[in-house]
Amino acid sequence: MDDTTPRAPLSAPPIAARRPVVSTHHHVKLVDNYGWLRAENWQDVMRDPSLLDPEIRGYLEAENAYTEAALAPTKPLQEALFAEMKARLKPDDSGVPTPDGPFDYFSDFVAGGQYPRLCRQPRGGGEIEVLLDGNVEASGKAYWDLGAKAHSPDHRLLAYSVDEKGSELYTIRVRDLATGQDLPDAIADTRGEVVWANDSQTLFYIRLDDNHRPLFVHRHRLGSPAADDALVYAEDDTGFYVSLNKTLSSKFILIDVHDHQTSEVRLIDADAPLDDALLVAARTTGHEYQVSHHGDRLILTTNSGGAEDFRICTTPVKQRGVSHWTELVAHKPGRLIIDTAVFANHLVRLEREDSLPRIIVRTFADGAEHAIAFDEDAYALGMTDGYEFDTTTLRFTYSSMTTPAETFDYNLVTRERVLRKRQEIPSGHSPGDYVTRRLFAPAADGETVPVSLLYRRDTPLDGSAPLFLYGYGSYGISIPASFSSARLSLVDRGFIFAIAHIRGGKDKGYRWYKDGKHEKKLNTFTDFIAAGEHLAQQGLTQRGRIVANGGSAGGMLMGVVANLAPELFLGIIADVPFVDVLNTMLDKDLPLTPPEWPEWGNPIESERDFAIIRSYSPYDNVEAKRYPHIFAYGGLTDPRVTYWEPAKWIAKMRALNTSDNLVLLKTNMEAGHGGASGRFERLREVALDYAFALEVAGLAGTAVAPPKA
């Protein structure tokens, strides 16, 4: 279908009833006409979706039916996109084995399988043993998600967690690897994380409170009832999360308590799991630190001492307080330390400077350092520390927007790189057919916003091409310029794909994050608009030919830019969008609200924060104007962005929109924040997004040249 083909008339869209709910905050009256879409029993619905109020269910299903009808002309395109994307996935893909003692552990997919298998084999090769087959476990289930997975130190048991609703309520089970049978131990309603003590009999895990917050660390002894599990740590402040980990040295279990700007870590001796947890450094607002272990010392990545982009310190295990910390790697403004890995003889750090990552290897013996870096304009780099502490091998991954992912084993002593895996594209991919570039868009305040681009080499750069602009910009999360085989289906049909690395992420250091949060949140939105405007000014596209996309907090970005600059965009795709920001931040009982106050502000306590959030909250700022095409996606059991946020937003937008553009909502009635659980079903959701973009851009019927081998 080209852009001159008339669209078939649709039946009338669903119109949500207006039932005003009035509240007053800081002497300001708020009227929420669609607040009834929030189920009063939302906690119960997370556990059992059948308990959803029939009227609410009826409305969501009517919206789904309307969206299905509106996008029915794209069904053949959706199927073609899905087939292309699926053909780019290796049917029997396998991860690179990771050694641990006598075994190599890895995961793989069987041809046609939606879910991974967890496997191992004797170290260096031998008969493969399937520890857990996700396809068998998920059989007959509408949703199945494997959370944590951890083999015991003695290699006899596998602890794993599963969510079967999409509500992120995981049940932990333990499998006897000799028999392939699960032990009677089953622990429900956990966060999903599980860590073994060194005795291979004791497990640590996290329970959630009634409002879905991970606050309680428990200890489980195999063979004992879960109801008798000891409470190891309870967090009293609902503004903090609790997570678990274990040092690579296997010496300590880590209890990490944190919000978005403050952290506090406790240690449990993994050889003495009944001992009390030892505090490393008491929380101080704004102080973030992470802990590793090396010999008789702790290695700490910290922003203490004014180290905005972090420094690395050491301290004796027995003298953990901040006053004992000694600097090992100094702070360098603009060079953000992202992650560290501590091995027996080496300290490895992943850092980013000038928007590009690199890996730095440091030898403990003499402090000598060398870098692992790459030459492309835009690329993604990651590292994994594996299971073993006393090793000279580091595993890292590299990709760019044109280069499929490559996995290397790197010898920290000889500096030799061994390519262990290159992502295969079975249907064919020629990197030379594509171009990746990085531009810098000027913002109104003089900053420059990095923008990563991908397009086919034969795409005209005369402004005629539509552009797909992705953004996120919150929580300090940086969006890597990595490879995505699915994106090729868009760019092969004439789209330019762009990622705007806007403030609110850490793409240009921690300062980039601080300048896009709380009182400075507006920078996130204006950066995204500036990126779109610059790409049009550079002749890569035109105003009104941009389809924008973001999910979760990036979906909030979509809602804001739709209000601020609707004429810039042809379409907006908002996946699980956080669009009811003010009402959510005013509701202290919702799962994420207290922990989110450092990010957005607390509108309950602060009149200024209330005014700031109210000024941009997408739902509160929908008004009578010509909006671009809108497609919003939600998940019924989503505990992060509750289903009623996109539902309310679309209801209000449909009532006030003065254009005749599409305004669509799809709610996955069997999934949560991450969407469908199977690897192929996820592709169907991406295909739907891309079909929407191609349809509104008039490219739904564009022929695609066959891929080169």
Side-chain angles (χ1 to χ4, degrees):
M1 178 186 298
D2 62 32
D3 54 6
T4 63
T5 303
R7 190 184 307 278
L10 279 171
S11 58
I15 302 297
R18 293 162 55 95
R19 298 173 189 164
V21 176
V22 180
S23 60
T24 301
H25 306 270
H26 305 292
H27 310 292
V28 176
K29 183 171 75 172
L30 300 179
V31 180
D32 186 353
N33 287 317
Y34 305 102
W36 65 272
L37 288 167
R38 176 190 186 276
E40 292 303 316
N41 65 335
W42 60 266
Q43 295 101 325
D44 298 326
V45 173
M46 294 286 176
R47 290 171 168 81
D48 184 356
S50 69
L51 298 177
L52 182 66
D53 181 289
E55 185 180 14
I56 298 174
R57 179 178 294 276
Y59 174 73
L60 296 178
E61 289 177 344
E63 286 283 6
N64 283 351
Y66 180 72
T67 295
E68 181 80 11
L71 296 179
T74 71
K75 274 289 188 182
L77 174 60
Q78 292 177 45
E79 291 301 320
L81 291 168
F82 172 72
E84 288 174 16
M85 294 175 188
K86 186 177 179 181
R88 296 191 190 106
L89 297 183
K90 187 179 180 185
D92 55 349
D93 201 9
S94 177
V96 179
T98 301
D100 186 20
F103 294 103
D104 286 332
Y105 288 86
F106 63 98
S107 63
D108 70 6
F109 287 95
V110 297
Q114 290 261 35
Y115 300 95
R117 302 189 310 172
L118 304 184
C119 307
R120 71 181 179 189
Q121 61 188 140
R123 188 163 183 156
E127 184 176 352
I128 293 175
E129 178 185 1
V130 178
L131 310 182
L132 184 142
D133 187 336
N135 302 293
V136 173
E137 303 293 331
S139 179
K141 298 178 175 69
Y143 184 94
W144 188 87
D145 180 59
L146 179 64
K149 49 195 181 295
H151 58 269
S152 59
D154 64 6
H155 303 278
R156 297 173 59 192
L157 302 166
L158 175 73
Y160 67 98
S161 61
V162 170
D163 170 19
E164 295 183 357
K165 294 287 191 299
S167 55
E168 300 179 40
L169 291 165
Y170 289 87
T171 297
I172 295 171
R173 293 183 172 87
V174 179
R175 179 157 296 185
D176 184 330
L177 297 180
T179 66
Q181 300 299 309
D182 287 343
L183 302 180
D185 306 73
I187 309 168
D189 291 350
T190 77
R191 178 185 173 98
E193 296 167 66
V194 58
V195 176
W196 288 98
N198 289 341
D199 62 6
S200 296
Q201 291 294 305
T202 306
L203 290 169
F204 290 84
Y205 66 92
I206 298 170
R207 284 195 183 276
L208 293 85
D209 71 358
D210 291 339
N211 289 332
H212 220 96
R213 300 183 184 118
L215 298 176
F216 311 110
V217 177
H218 287 262
R219 182 180 62 240
H220 177 75
R221 182 77 177 176
L222 292 183
S224 64
D228 295 341
D229 289 351
L231 177 65
V232 175
Y233 177 81
E235 176 55 42
D236 295 327
D237 189 336
T238 57
F240 281 76
Y241 298 123
V242 179
S243 62
L244 283 170
N245 212 326
K246 194 175 186 179
T247 60
L248 187 59
S249 67
S250 296
K251 176 60 178 172
F252 292 111
I253 294 160
L254 305 175
I255 300 175
D256 187 345
V257 185
H258 57 276
D259 63 9
H260 294 298
Q261 63 181 17
T262 303
S263 57
E264 181 178 83
V265 179
R266 287 170 171 79
L267 311 176
I268 297 175
D269 189 331
D271 292 313
L274 301 184
D275 285 2
D276 292 337
L278 303 174
L279 178 66
V280 175
R283 70 189 71 172
T284 302
T285 300
H287 180 208
E288 297 180 65
Y289 68 96
Q290 298 84 42
V291 178
S292 300
H293 170 250
H294 187 265
D296 61 355
R297 306 183 72 79
L298 301 177
I299 308 294
L300 307 114
T301 306
T302 170
N303 65 354
S304 62
E308 181 177 64
D309 288 311
F310 292 85
R311 60 182 180 142
I312 299 176
C313 295
T314 70
T315 191
V317 171
K318 295 182 179 180
Q319 295 177 303
R320 298 176 299 278
V322 175
S323 62
H324 299 287
W325 294 7
T326 301
E327 188 169 86
L328 182 65
V329 177
H331 172 244
K332 179 182 177 183
R335 181 204 62 187
L336 178 68
I337 299 176
I338 303 167
D339 194 13
T340 57
V342 176
F343 299 98
N345 298 305
H346 297 89
L347 168 65
V348 183
R349 67 182 186 267
L350 176 65
E351 62 185 35
R352 184 186 300 111
E353 190 170 17
D354 295 328
S355 305
L356 290 177
R358 62 175 172 255
I359 293 172
I360 304 295
V361 178
R362 181 187 182 97
T363 305
F364 277 120
D366 58 10
E369 293 188 349
H370 68 272
I372 307 172
F374 295 85
D375 295 330
E376 286 194 79
D377 281 355
Y379 59 85
L381 193 60
M383 66 181 191
T384 57
D385 47 16
Y387 298 118
E388 297 188 324
F389 178 66
D390 191 2
T391 181
T392 58
T393 300
L394 170 74
R395 180 162 295 167
F396 71 86
T397 57
Y398 169 83
S399 75
S400 76
M401 295 177 78
T402 61
T403 306
E406 297 175 330
T407 302
F408 293 89
D409 278 352
Y410 181 80
N411 190 300
L412 298 168
V413 177
T414 67
R415 308 188 188 184
E416 179 187 11
R417 298 181 192 181
V418 177
L419 178 65
R420 296 297 306 276
K421 179 182 178 180
R422 178 175 286 117
Q423 179 183 355
E424 294 182 44
I425 310 297
S427 61
H429 172 63
S430 176
D433 290 345
Y434 302 89
V435 176
T436 184
R437 294 168 54 194
R438 176 156 290 190
L439 302 180
F440 290 86
D445 61 357
E447 290 285 1
T448 55
V449 181
V451 182
S452 299
L453 295 175
L454 170 71
Y455 52 87
R456 281 190 65 95
R457 195 169 295 278
D458 56 5
T459 298
L461 304 181
D462 57 4
S464 61
L467 185 135
F468 194 95
L469 183 61
Y470 178 84
Y472 188 76
S474 291
Y475 308 118
I477 295 173
S478 301
I479 305 301
S482 55
F483 184 77
S484 164
S485 62
R487 289 176 192 153
L488 301 178
S489 290
L490 268 185
V491 298
D492 283 349
R493 287 172 170 82
F495 262 92
I496 295 172
F497 192 98
I499 301 171
H501 303 279
I502 53 184
R503 277 176 278 190
K506 293 177 184 171
D507 304 79
K508 295 176 74 173
Y510 201 90
R511 173 188 66 84
W512 203 242
Y513 169 40
K514 291 199 306 183
D515 282 353
K517 65 178 288 193
H518 200 180
E519 295 183 348
K520 298 182 178 181
K521 191 62 200 172
L522 187 63
N523 287 333
T524 300
F525 318 131
T526 55
D527 279 1
F528 190 82
I529 293 169
E533 296 282 9
H534 182 69
L535 293 169
Q537 291 166 6
Q538 294 299 302
L540 292 167
T541 189
Q542 299 175 33
R543 302 181 86 253
R545 288 286 283 165
I546 299 172
V547 177
N549 175 228
S552 195
M556 176 204 63
L557 169 68
M558 297 299 101
V560 175
V561 300
N563 288 329
L564 292 180
E567 69 287 345
L568 179 62
F569 302 102
L570 172 65
I572 300 280
I573 302 172
D575 299 315
V576 289
F578 177 36
V579 283
D580 194 14
V581 184
L582 185 58
N583 282 317
T584 294
M585 289 297 103
L586 286 167
D587 189 342
K588 62 182 177 56
D589 293 329
L590 290 175
L592 294 189
T593 294
E596 300 287 84
W597 285 332
E599 182 78 14
W600 314 104
N602 183 344
I604 299 174
E605 300 293 336
S606 168
E607 184 174 359
R608 175 169 172 76
D609 288 353
F610 175 88
I612 291 171
I613 296 172
R614 186 175 179 231
S615 72
Y616 66 75
S617 177
Y619 177 63
D620 295 274
N621 287 279
V622 174
E623 58 189 7
K625 64 174 61 173
R626 292 183 57 82
Y627 283 97
H629 297 284
I630 303 286
F631 181 26
Y633 203 105
L636 180 60
T637 55
D638 187 347
R640 298 172 185 258
V641 177
T642 49
Y643 74 86
W644 59 82
E645 295 212 19
K648 288 169 58 177
W649 181 55
I650 288 297
K652 186 174 183 180
M653 181 164 291
R654 185 170 290 136
L656 294 177
N657 180 29
T658 60
S659 77
D660 58 1
N661 289 327
L662 294 172
V663 176
L664 304 176
L665 170 68
K666 181 177 175 61
T667 303
N668 190 326
M669 306 300 282
E670 297 178 330
H673 198 68
S677 56
R679 61 169 174 160
F680 301 137
E681 291 308 304
R682 285 197 183 104
L683 290 181
R684 289 196 180 278
E685 294 179 349
V686 177
L688 182 58
D689 278 357
Y690 286 2
F692 174 85
L694 289 160
E695 169 75 0
V696 300
L699 297 177
T702 302
V704 178
K708 297 179 180 178

